[in-house]
Amino acid sequence: MLSEEGKPLFQQIAELVENAIIDGSLPEESQAPSTNELAAFHRINPATAAKGLNQLVADGILYKRRGIGMFVTTGARDALRFRRREQFAAQYLAPLVREADKLGMSVAELKSMLDQWEERP
């Protein structure tokens, strides 16, 4: 599961938890996996798992209940989806539009191509 080369392990842990929140398998206000659970499952140092979870706390995605654990913040799913959409646009759409512009394509032509792509069997 953890194998994205070049990406720190703590960041991969944070993304795994984020993905679980986005896909609904870790609902809002539910308890997140513990540092020790993540460390044991992924065979990593507990400090690394804690760094990933603490990043999510700093981002407002998780919150701590002293002595109980970490929980998913209300609104976390929408916040993550918004952030991921922004990242998607920057990573994929901006280069796509730049390349289309180089080729002399209008946004309307690009939309038409996307529509045709969507209609493929």
Side-chain angles (χ1 to χ4, degrees):
M1 278 183 138
L2 298 178
S3 64
E4 291 185 50
E5 292 183 30
K7 194 173 275 193
L9 287 175
F10 79 90
Q11 202 170 38
Q12 292 180 52
I13 289 291
E15 286 180 5
L16 284 172
V17 174
E18 286 179 353
N19 289 341
I21 294 168
I22 289 169
D23 73 19
S25 60
L26 189 57
E28 294 177 357
E29 295 303 323
S30 68
Q31 188 167 7
S34 73
T35 296
N36 290 332
E37 289 171 334
L38 289 168
F41 184 79
H42 296 289
R43 298 180 184 181
I44 60 173
N45 187 311
T48 301
K51 188 173 179 181
L53 291 177
N54 286 328
Q55 180 62 53
L56 294 175
V57 170
D59 292 345
I61 302 303
L62 297 179
Y63 66 93
K64 295 180 183 181
R65 285 191 189 162
R66 188 179 175 134
I68 299 174
M70 295 191 195
F71 292 78
V72 180
T73 305
T74 298
R77 185 171 189 230
D78 288 340
L80 286 170
R81 291 176 80 186
F82 177 80
R83 188 176 80 200
R84 292 271 183 99
R85 286 178 180 177
E86 294 290 313
Q87 291 170 343
F88 177 83
Q91 186 175 357
Y92 298 105
L93 294 182
L96 177 70
V97 171
R98 280 194 302 271
E99 185 64 21
D101 188 51
K102 286 181 196 175
L103 298 173
M105 294 173 62
S106 68
V107 173
E109 287 175 294
L110 191 54
K111 285 180 184 178
S112 176
M113 286 180 82
L114 287 171
D115 288 341
Q116 290 172 6
W117 189 266
E118 185 178 53
E119 293 170 3
R120 290 176 143 195

